[in-house]
Amino acid sequence: MKTDPFEAIADPNRRHLLEELRRGAKTVGELATGLPISRPAVSQHLRVLLDAGLVHARAEGTRRIYSVQDNGFMSLNLWLDQFWAE
């Protein structure tokens, strides 16, 4: 089941992860640094962002590298833009 992108960004930890990924692709370990949550919790939050189509993961050896999925934000942008367009 696909996660609603608005539900996905409702959590402040997920917004923090997205802000970090906006600066560049990172591993779970890199993302967990500076957050008051465990690596498994970061992985769970990333799963929600993946299910919402906001994040992409690629395998690199035994690591997974996460990055922002630009086109995943299109539905958010389209919905929000309707309030500004006249």
Side-chain angles (χ1 to χ4, degrees):
M1 179 161 84
K2 189 165 167 83
T3 302
D4 181 305
F6 286 100
E7 284 183 39
I9 63 171
D11 184 278
N13 289 315
R14 290 187 206 124
R15 289 194 305 271
H16 176 81
L17 293 173
L18 288 170
E19 289 168 13
E20 288 297 314
L21 291 172
R22 185 176 55 84
R23 294 181 183 97
K26 293 182 174 49
T27 64
V28 172
E30 292 168 328
L31 289 166
T33 303
L35 275 178
I37 58 176
S38 66
R39 279 184 175 188
V42 169
S43 293
Q44 289 174 349
H45 285 299
L46 287 168
R47 171 56 53 200
V48 172
L49 293 171
L50 281 164
D51 290 344
L54 300 175
V55 168
H56 171 75
R58 74 177 192 281
E60 195 172 277
T62 59
R63 303 178 321 156
R64 288 176 56 96
I65 311 297
Y66 294 88
S67 58
V68 170
Q69 181 88 357
D70 293 337
N71 63 349
F73 284 89
M74 189 56 68
S75 64
L76 296 173
N77 286 337
L78 290 172
W79 191 84
L80 291 169
D81 281 349
Q82 71 182 332
F83 293 98
W84 316 124
E86 285 289 319

